[in-house]
Amino acid sequence: IFVSKSGLAWSILSAMWRRAPQAAASVAVQQESAAMRVMTLSLARVLQGQRVRVVAAGGVRCQSSAAAAGSTNLKELFMATDQFAGRHLGPSPKDVDEMCKLLGVKDLNELISQTIPAAVRREALVELPDGTIGEAGALALAKSILQKNIIAKNFIGMGYHGSHVPGVVLRNLTENPGWYTAYTPYQPEISQGRLESLINFQTLVCELTGMEVANSSLLDEGSAAAEAMAMIARTVNSKTKNQFFVSDRVHPQSIDLMKLRAKYFGMELIVGDHKSTDFKSMDKLCGALVQYPDTDGLLFDYSGLADALHGNGAHLVVSADPLALVAAKPPSEFGADVVVGSMQRFGVPMWFGGPAAAYMATSKKQVRRMPGRIIGESLDRLGNPAYRLALQTREQHIRLDKATSNVCTAQVLLANMAAMYAVYHKTDGLKTIARKVHGLAQLFAKELGQLGVTVASTDNFFDTVTFSTAPLAPAALVEQLQGKNLNLRVIDGKMVSASFDETHLQDDIMTLIAVLKSVGVGGGAATNAANIVVDGHLPAAFARTSPFLQQKIFNSIHSETEMMRYMVSLQLKDLSLDKSMISLGSCTMKLNSVSSLLPCSWPEVTNMHPFAPHSQTAGYREMLESLEKYLISCTGFDACSLQPTSGASGEYAGLLVIRQYLASIGQAHRNVCIIPRSAHGTNPATAVMCGMQIKWIDDAGGMDVEEFRQLCEANKDNLAALMVTYPSTRAFFEDNIQEICQIVHDCGGQVYMDGANMNAQLGLTSPGMIGADVCHLNLHKTFSIPHGGGGPGLGPICVKKHLAPHLPNHCVVSPSSGGDLPAVSAAPWGQAGIAIIPWMFCTMLGNKGVTDSARYAILNANYMKARLAPHFPVVATNANNRCSHEFIMDFSDVRRETGIVEEDIAKRLQDYGFHAPTMSWPVPHSLMVEPTESEDKNELDRFCEAMISIKEEIRKIKDGTWPADNNPLKNAPHTQSEVCGSEWTYPYSREEAAFPAPWTLKRGKHWPTTARIDNALGDRKLKLRLEE
């Protein structure tokens, strides 16, 4: 290996040797300076004992002994100076000593020994890099891997398109921690910015589709279509109407997802030609799905199909391209009941398949059955309009196994990008883009016609042209073009398609035509396509004539200055990690480092089509497979699939893998799933989706092993799985977890571990050690992907060896981990574009840093618990009075004695500048606090002081100093306009209301922009979109 004096090359080389220390090689160093001679000695020191010969240019051999390097440890001397672990972990060494002293332990090791049962405690380090590479070195290594990708010209389409992210949106939203570090807006008073943007998104979707209501995004187009099928089944009598039709002209990845969902939903899925099917005779049909434009790029008027379906009491679902809807007749005008699709081409990169915001739009009568999150408008305590999450009683933590869906998240960051794309371009700008894209397709079709090539249609297409490849075979032609970095799509044995987007230029058309001509396509007389008029207009039969996006927000911002100010004005309304800690239990709001996020904006990451050929995606696949190995080591399992796009999606995939395995050994009848009462609400919702029968077990005081054994024995003939969270959602490590898992195995079942609390396990124990068979991981929690205000996420599953053959595959591109289970997500590697974040997290922290993440998370939680336990009852710890990485405070006594409820405390924390912990779950009338490893002692103390101060405020209510119905807690939060108003009628001062702690002045006050919002009013009078 030859090494120049480049620091970049040096970093890459050092990283290479760390990844392959057993290699034997010679390293030739070009000694052009004294500094390089020192670096040569340093390299010798680094590689000492690794059978490496370090040779200077000119053949002078450098000694690798300590004597040659002198008495100085050159490895330490020249170690990267930007080590990541110290930046990621909040407490300093001095903090750790002080915190351990308060806890009565000599060091972190003693604390961990008191927290995690010895039987499941891990001794060996996880198999990760050593963590000494530094941030710059990790970025250099990532770049060296991802540069192996070939950024081709993509004309594949299939729901993924090139898109220009406006620079002002990229800088001020996508890459802005004020947006990407926020959590789901459960506390709307400090979330009005992103809630307003999501209302813009819902309005945008409604306007494009012509439907009455839309949700605030779903995971991807294929799963959105499956959710639409499930919603329709809930609408009709699915016992008598148990068939669903899918057009064979729907994108193949969507059909694949629909088949899998229907299998366990009890729905017979019929795939066929919508043009020749007699829908009037199909009285068991509950609905049908069509694509608009279809997967070949053709537009159809589905009015007749809609009429036939409606005549039988069935529903029409349309999967629609949103850019096409700018120019084409909206689905509402031909009778659609539900419209789904992906907003990816509205200013969101392809990212090798995701993330992007899918959407669902429907009629008002379906709104309470619609999956996903919905933003609505209500009034606050002062009578001012304010946004909030509407209809939260539909969600899993309340409805459990009767929830509308297991979808518990959205793609908020991506939905906001899409909404801002529309705000930035305005209505006229969107029309211009749509006209350009259609014009490019017209020009290509016309040029093909002049080349003598037959096209599928000369008029009813938008952005995709399907054409004959005669006399060449389609597959051979596409392979030839791939060699020239031009990616097209094979349709069948005769036809190929090319899809166009806003990133394409006229020159791209001419290049593509020239190449087609050079390889022998066409050559005969001109066809009808040669007569196409290139004007960017659709034919009258399909052209949109109805007005849309007339709201002010989509027509008022003209300059980048105003666009910047609009986004900043929204950002300032929200409380994110850039302002203070967010201690939401079971949510793990840790640092999202800039170095981890930087590669997400690299062209090698953003501009890759998920169905690009393997020859162009070597870098992505190397990085993804490397990440899979990291996760396998962390979990103690044998195989991994990165395909699931969220935690709930991971649950779905994991349970399906179990079902697939059981079927493979002749045990397909097993369908009982045991779930503890404390489980996340998505667990029962997912089990129902997988066709399972739920058996509950109470675990309020920890799992009773004998009761659990009896339950398993009673169901041993049909037991399929136990879904268990470890450490428990009640915030401690159960001692008997291995025995519990063995009982399940003895009764023929498999153990699914919910990975929500994996942040307490990293390097200290593992799902494999406790006896689980499969788990999902929340990479948007444990492995530092930002929550984005409510998405995106990444929920891969890891499995034991016997389950590996049953991991999800994909019908278009097969991932290396793929087994015999069909796809659970639209893209082969799910949301691959953000997978580089956990890869960077693992690479920069290394084996010790990742383990320290769990150690410090446990330390921080136990420290806060110790400080707050004298003031509030703490629920459920282990025998050593230790919690895991979070703890639960019970306010039942406060509620009974004063009338102050947990919501009052949550809202009062906003006045102190904090987001509330998780409220009322898993214990009623509680707050669950998870500080994560990234918060330092000062921030932990600040939160504790806020809670102690609130305890004193509660005392004043209890002793009558403040009225029970008129006090700072019942009236919280207090807005700036209220505090600065001319009238003040409360029995406490303005200072007590708005500045209850000294840091609210010293650090700067974060003002809630609305007073407490009326949730009940918002659900009674639904207002889910902008009208003006």
Side-chain angles (χ1 to χ4, degrees):
I1 300 174
F2 175 81
V3 187
S4 75
K5 63 182 179 180
S6 160
L8 175 63
W10 183 266
S11 297
I12 293 173
L13 179 75
S14 300
M16 287 170 58
W17 288 118
R18 291 187 188 98
R19 289 162 66 87
Q22 76 285 358
S26 294
V27 182
V29 181
Q30 184 178 5
Q31 291 186 319
E32 296 181 358
S33 68
M36 279 308 300
R37 284 192 289 275
V38 175
M39 288 178 70
T40 301
L41 293 175
S42 175
L43 182 62
R45 180 70 176 173
V46 170
L47 303 180
Q48 183 180 9
Q50 296 179 2
R51 298 185 293 119
V52 177
R53 189 166 51 91
V54 183
V55 183
V60 180
R61 186 169 184 172
C62 300
Q63 299 298 314
S64 61
S65 66
S71 59
T72 302
N73 186 329
L74 295 181
K75 180 178 179 180
E76 292 183 5
L77 177 63
F78 296 114
M79 188 175 290
T81 56
D82 58 347
Q83 300 289 306
F84 179 61
R87 299 297 183 183
H88 178 73
L89 302 171
S92 67
K94 181 175 180 290
D95 289 341
V96 172
D97 290 342
E98 292 178 0
M99 295 160 76
C100 286
K101 183 177 180 180
L102 178 73
L103 293 172
V105 295
K106 63 180 179 180
D107 56 23
L108 267 174
N109 290 334
E110 184 177 357
L111 174 63
I112 298 305
S113 70
Q114 294 178 7
T115 304
I116 301 178
V120 297
R121 215 175 298 144
R122 185 173 189 162
E123 300 300 331
L125 287 172
V126 289
E127 296 178 15
L128 298 177
D130 67 8
T132 61
I133 191 171
E135 296 185 43
L139 286 167
L141 180 59
K143 178 66 80 169
S144 72
I145 294 172
L146 292 165
Q147 278 181 334
K148 297 175 185 177
N149 291 336
I150 296 173
I151 304 174
K153 284 287 183 180
N154 282 298
F155 305 93
I156 299 172
M158 297 179 72
Y160 300 93
H161 305 271
S163 179
H164 290 309
V165 183
V168 66
V169 176
L170 180 67
R171 176 57 58 89
N172 293 289
L173 193 154
T174 315
E175 298 177 343
N176 184 342
W179 287 87
Y180 66 70
T181 68
Y183 191 66
T184 301
Y186 283 127
Q187 297 294 331
E189 298 85 359
I190 49 175
S191 308
Q192 288 298 296
R194 61 190 183 281
L195 286 168
E196 178 177 328
S197 185
L198 290 173
I199 278 284
N200 293 345
F201 176 84
Q202 291 178 184
T203 303
L204 170 64
V205 171
C206 289
E207 291 287 307
L208 291 174
T209 61
M211 306 304 288
E212 294 176 322
V213 295
N215 64 16
S216 63
S217 67
L218 291 171
L219 297 173
D220 59 39
E221 183 173 4
S223 60
E227 290 292 344
M229 175 180 68
M231 184 179 76
I232 287 171
R234 292 191 293 270
T235 303
V236 303
N237 185 343
S238 58
K239 292 182 179 179
T240 58
K241 288 185 170 294
N242 60 354
Q243 295 177 337
F244 195 92
F245 178 89
V246 178
S247 168
D248 57 9
R249 297 294 85 193
V250 169
H251 291 322
Q253 68 269 24
S254 296
I255 296 176
D256 217 26
L257 265 67
M258 298 282 285
K259 287 179 179 177
L260 185 59
R261 182 69 68 89
K263 177 180 178 180
Y264 293 105
F265 198 70
M267 186 70 65
E268 179 186 353
L269 200 76
I270 302 168
V271 180
D273 184 353
H274 67 267
K275 299 188 294 296
S276 59
T277 300
D278 180 13
F279 291 100
K280 292 182 179 179
S281 65
M282 302 174 72
D283 57 358
K284 291 186 178 181
L285 205 65
C286 69
L289 172 69
V290 294
Q291 193 93 36
Y292 182 73
D294 73 8
T295 196
D296 297 340
L298 303 181
L299 292 161
F300 290 95
D301 184 344
Y302 294 110
S303 300
L305 170 57
D307 291 341
L309 290 170
H310 295 159
N312 271 341
H315 296 71
L316 175 62
V317 182
V318 178
S319 190
D321 178 344
L323 190 62
L325 298 183
V326 173
K329 183 185 298 184
S332 62
E333 294 184 14
F334 53 71
D337 299 287
V338 187
V339 187
V340 297
S342 170
M343 297 297 292
Q344 179 266 314
R345 68 191 311 178
F346 270 52
V348 177
M350 288 184 289
W351 270 321
F352 203 45
Y359 71 84
M360 177 183 287
T362 186
S363 60
K364 287 182 179 178
K365 64 183 180 182
Q366 293 280 22
V367 69
R368 295 178 189 274
R369 302 186 186 98
M370 186 163 55
R373 291 185 171 137
I374 306 169
I375 312 305
E377 184 180 303
S378 185
L379 298 177
D380 72 2
R381 176 174 56 84
L382 305 176
N384 298 313
Y387 299 118
R388 57 178 286 274
L389 282 172
L391 301 173
Q392 293 184 52
T393 54
R394 301 169 310 121
E395 294 195 9
Q396 297 77 20
H397 62 287
I398 294 175
R399 295 279 290 167
L400 301 177
D401 52 316
K402 295 179 174 59
T404 57
S405 165
N406 81 330
V407 175
C408 66
T409 188
Q411 299 274 42
V412 169
L413 191 69
L414 299 313
N416 286 333
M417 288 178 69
M420 291 302 179
Y421 180 86
V423 172
Y424 175 80
H425 284 291
K426 305 188 299 298
T427 307
D428 288 343
L430 295 177
K431 291 178 181 178
T432 298
I433 294 169
R435 187 177 175 190
K436 172 196 171 180
V437 169
H438 181 51
L440 290 170
Q442 287 176 320
L443 177 61
F444 181 66
K446 182 181 181 70
E447 293 292 332
L448 286 175
Q450 292 174 351
L451 201 60
V453 175
T454 301
V455 301
S457 174
T458 59
D459 53 8
N460 62 323
F461 62 91
F462 171 62
D463 65 352
T464 301
V465 178
T466 298
F467 61 96
S468 169
T469 63
L472 303 181
L477 171 64
V478 167
E479 187 174 355
Q480 273 189 282
L481 294 180
Q482 288 170 355
K484 301 179 184 296
N485 295 336
L486 299 169
N487 294 339
L488 276 69
R489 176 193 174 196
V490 175
I491 296 293
D492 54 32
K494 296 181 179 180
M495 308 290 275
V496 161
S497 71
S499 184
F500 301 93
D501 57 56
E502 69 166 322
T503 68
H504 291 131
L505 305 171
Q506 185 175 349
D507 286 349
D508 297 325
I509 306 294
M510 296 308 156
T511 298
L512 188 52
I513 289 292
V515 173
L516 290 172
K517 183 177 180 180
S518 71
V519 298
V521 174
T527 61
N528 290 340
N531 299 318
I532 291 176
V533 176
V534 180
D535 59 4
H537 294 298
L538 289 175
F542 296 102
R544 181 166 197 150
T545 57
S546 55
F548 67 102
L549 290 179
Q550 300 301 297
Q551 291 82 2
K552 181 180 179 181
I553 190 59
F554 298 113
N555 296 280
S556 58
I557 295 179
H558 302 279
S559 70
E560 180 174 325
T561 302
E562 284 305 305
M563 187 71 194
M564 173 186 67
R565 288 171 181 163
Y566 176 61
M567 286 186 285
V568 170
S569 72
L570 296 188
Q571 173 200 334
L572 293 176
K573 295 179 180 181
D574 292 2
L575 193 150
S576 306
L577 282 176
D578 62 339
K579 298 182 176 70
S580 63
M581 71 184 289
I582 299 177
S583 59
L584 282 157
S586 198
C587 298
T588 316
M589 298 294 292
K590 64 170 65 177
L591 170 72
N592 313 122
S593 74
V594 173
S595 290
S596 293
L597 298 172
L598 280 175
C600 293
S601 298
W602 292 349
E604 302 94 328
V605 176
T606 60
N607 294 338
M608 300 299 294
H609 195 287
F611 304 147
H614 272 19
S615 60
Q616 298 172 3
T617 63
Y620 244 124
R621 287 184 287 109
E622 181 179 341
M623 181 272 291
L624 294 169
E625 290 166 11
S626 172
L627 175 60
E628 288 175 354
K629 291 176 182 177
Y630 293 166
L631 301 181
I632 287 168
S633 178
C634 289
T635 57
F637 283 144
D638 303 297
C640 175
S641 170
L642 293 171
Q643 194 176 107
T645 51
S646 71
S649 176
E651 293 177 19
Y652 176 61
L655 288 186
L656 289 181
V657 166
I658 289 174
R659 299 221 64 174
Q660 195 84 347
Y661 163 72
L662 292 173
S664 75
I665 60 171
Q667 299 285 308
H669 65 279
R670 290 184 174 272
N671 68 344
V672 170
C673 184
I674 297 175
I675 302 178
R677 286 286 179 187
S678 68
H680 292 84
T682 52
N683 286 185
T686 302
V688 168
M689 281 175 58
C690 295
M692 290 182 165
Q693 179 185 352
I694 296 170
K695 300 291 184 180
W696 295 98
I697 184 165
D698 182 56
D699 64 333
M703 194 89 76
D704 185 302
V705 175
E706 288 311 310
E707 180 185 351
F708 181 76
R709 191 189 310 275
Q710 292 172 16
L711 181 61
C712 289
E713 288 288 342
N715 292 277
K716 65 181 179 180
D717 293 335
N718 295 303
L719 181 61
L722 163 70
M723 297 187 82
V724 64
T725 304
Y726 197 72
S728 162
T729 55
R730 294 181 182 272
F732 64 93
F733 289 89
E734 298 202 49
D735 293 330
N736 50 18
I737 186 64
Q738 289 177 315
E739 184 179 1
I740 288 168
C741 292
Q742 189 57 51
I743 292 170
V744 175
H745 292 145
D746 291 344
C747 292
Q750 299 286 294
V751 177
Y752 176 95
M753 196 204 82
D754 185 315
N757 290 343
M758 190 69 192
N759 208 49
Q761 288 198 35
L762 286 177
L764 301 177
T765 181
S766 71
M769 290 186 69
I770 71 170
D773 300 285
V774 54
C775 76
H776 86 267
L777 300 171
N778 293 314
L779 301 191
H780 48 287
K781 295 183 182 182
T782 313
F783 291 86
S784 198
I785 293 176
H787 285 73
L794 199 56
I797 57 171
C798 295
V799 299
K800 282 188 174 178
K801 186 176 181 179
H802 66 284
L803 298 181
H806 310 294
L807 288 172
N809 214 317
H810 199 277
C811 64
V812 182
V813 174
S814 181
S816 58
S817 63
D820 59 12
L821 183 71
V824 297
S825 302
W829 284 273
Q831 313 209 109
I834 53 175
I836 186 62
I837 301 171
W839 185 93
M840 287 287 294
F841 177 82
C842 292
T843 301
M844 292 191 299
L845 277 178
N847 43 33
K848 184 179 184 301
V850 163
T851 304
D852 281 344
S853 292
R855 286 153 53 92
Y856 279 56
I858 291 170
L859 171 67
N860 283 359
N862 277 277
Y863 172 75
M864 292 183 72
K865 179 181 76 68
R867 283 214 59 193
L868 291 173
H871 305 278
F872 302 102
V874 174
V875 178
T877 57
N878 69 5
N880 297 318
N881 194 29
R882 300 302 182 201
C883 62
S884 58
H885 63 310
E886 58 193 2
F887 63 97
I888 302 169
M889 293 181 289
D890 186 358
F891 297 95
S892 298
D893 291 346
V894 170
R895 183 188 186 102
R896 184 177 59 256
E897 293 170 1
T898 67
I900 294 298
V901 300
E902 61 275 13
E903 183 181 19
D904 299 325
I905 298 170
K907 302 304 180 186
R908 182 57 174 159
L909 278 168
Q910 295 177 19
D911 288 328
Y912 284 81
F914 284 108
H915 192 292
T918 297
M919 218 170 44
S920 309
W921 183 87
V923 176
H925 318 311
S926 70
L927 292 177
M928 181 161 63
V929 180
E930 181 185 358
T932 84
E933 71 273 20
S934 298
E935 300 297 343
D936 67 5
K937 181 175 177 292
N938 287 336
E939 187 72 353
L940 306 182
D941 286 336
R942 205 164 62 87
F943 183 90
C944 291
E945 291 301 325
M947 289 299 300
I948 294 168
S949 177
I950 288 172
K951 176 65 182 292
E952 176 61 19
E953 293 175 347
I954 293 171
R955 185 195 63 76
K956 290 182 179 180
I957 297 167
K958 185 177 180 180
D959 67 16
T961 302
W962 289 330
D965 61 349
N966 188 8
N967 55 70
L969 282 89
K970 285 296 182 183
N971 295 330
H974 298 83
T975 67
Q976 187 175 35
S977 60
E978 183 180 23
V979 172
C980 297
S982 57
E983 294 185 6
W984 187 260
T985 59
Y986 302 117
Y988 50 92
S989 70
R990 298 173 195 261
E991 288 80 8
E992 288 173 311
F995 301 99
W999 61 78
T1000 55
L1001 288 169
K1002 293 177 181 178
R1003 287 172 57 117
K1005 171 74 175 178
H1006 180 265
W1007 290 97
T1009 51
T1010 69
R1012 194 178 308 191
I1013 296 172
D1014 188 332
N1015 291 321
L1017 175 66
D1019 285 350
R1020 288 197 308 271
K1021 298 180 178 180
L1022 289 173
K1023 184 178 179 182
L1024 309 178
R1025 56 185 288 184
L1026 299 174
E1027 300 298 337
E1028 298 178 356

